[in-house]
Amino acid sequence: KRILSALERENAPVIVFETESVDGGKLIEGEKFVYDFTFRNEGKSPLKLTNAKASCGCTTPFWPKGEEIAPGETGKVTVSFNSKGRIGNQAKSVTVRSNDPDAATKILKFKVLVVKDPFHAGSIMGGSN
């Protein structure tokens, strides 16, 4: 990895996310949690996201593959989490890589609480009223 000159650094793309951590609240098991992590290129040259990788197979990131985000423009990384078969507190992350030399890697995090469907859970177990 080469060292950037002061001029290159000054003219580089700069990725800034509105937020890097989200509490998605409560989900009923089987529901999907979808969130758009919006970012802006606050640098002076085009920004490219080179990769977005989820911490597990239950989470899928979508990002502008191959697109250049011009200086001042915004983009988003959409994260989709499938809660099927996952009960309790869930904390997941997506690692985003870009051509921003000062923040080549960003980790976007979200958490949700997955609960059993109250309308179906009680009838099977004969819940008390």
Side-chain angles (χ1 to χ4, degrees), residues 2 31 70 80 82:
R2 69 183 192 86
E31 288 181 331
S80 176
N82 183 350

Side-chain angles (χ1 to χ4, degrees), residues 53-61 79-82 92-94 110:
K53 187 169 169 41
S55 58
C56 81
C58 59
T59 304
T60 309
V79 174
S80 176
F81 167 72
N82 183 350
K92 305 295 176 193
S93 65
V94 171
F110 68 90

Side-chain angles (χ1 to χ4, degrees), residues 79-105:
V79 174
S80 176
F81 167 72
N82 183 350
S83 68
K84 185 165 176 53
R86 298 180 181 272
I87 302 294
N89 284 307
Q90 303 290 318
K92 305 295 176 193
S93 65
V94 171
T95 302
V96 176
R97 297 192 190 288
S98 74
N99 63 339
D100 175 342
D102 289 325
T105 302

Side-chain angles (χ1 to χ4, degrees), residues 8-96:
E8 285 175 312
R9 192 167 291 284
E10 187 183 311
N11 290 311
V14 177
I15 190 167
V16 178
F17 279 91
E18 279 180 9
T19 184
E20 294 179 26
S21 183
V22 176
D23 184 341
K26 203 180 274 191
L27 287 181
I28 292 174
E29 191 233 340
E31 288 181 331
K32 278 192 164 58
F33 169 74
V34 179
Y35 187 82
D36 291 336
F37 285 95
T38 305
F39 63 87
R40 182 179 177 88
N41 180 2
E42 294 189 358
K44 295 181 179 168
S45 61
L47 174 72
K48 276 185 112 161
L49 270 57
T50 54
N51 195 0
K53 187 169 169 41
S55 58
C56 81
C58 59
T59 304
T60 309
F62 301 93
W63 75 96
K65 292 180 183 86
E67 282 181 41
E68 288 191 342
I69 309 299
E73 294 295 307
T74 58
K76 66 185 176 184
V77 175
T78 302
V79 174
S80 176
F81 167 72
N82 183 350
S83 68
K84 185 165 176 53
R86 298 180 181 272
I87 302 294
N89 284 307
Q90 303 290 318
K92 305 295 176 193
S93 65
V94 171
T95 302
V96 176

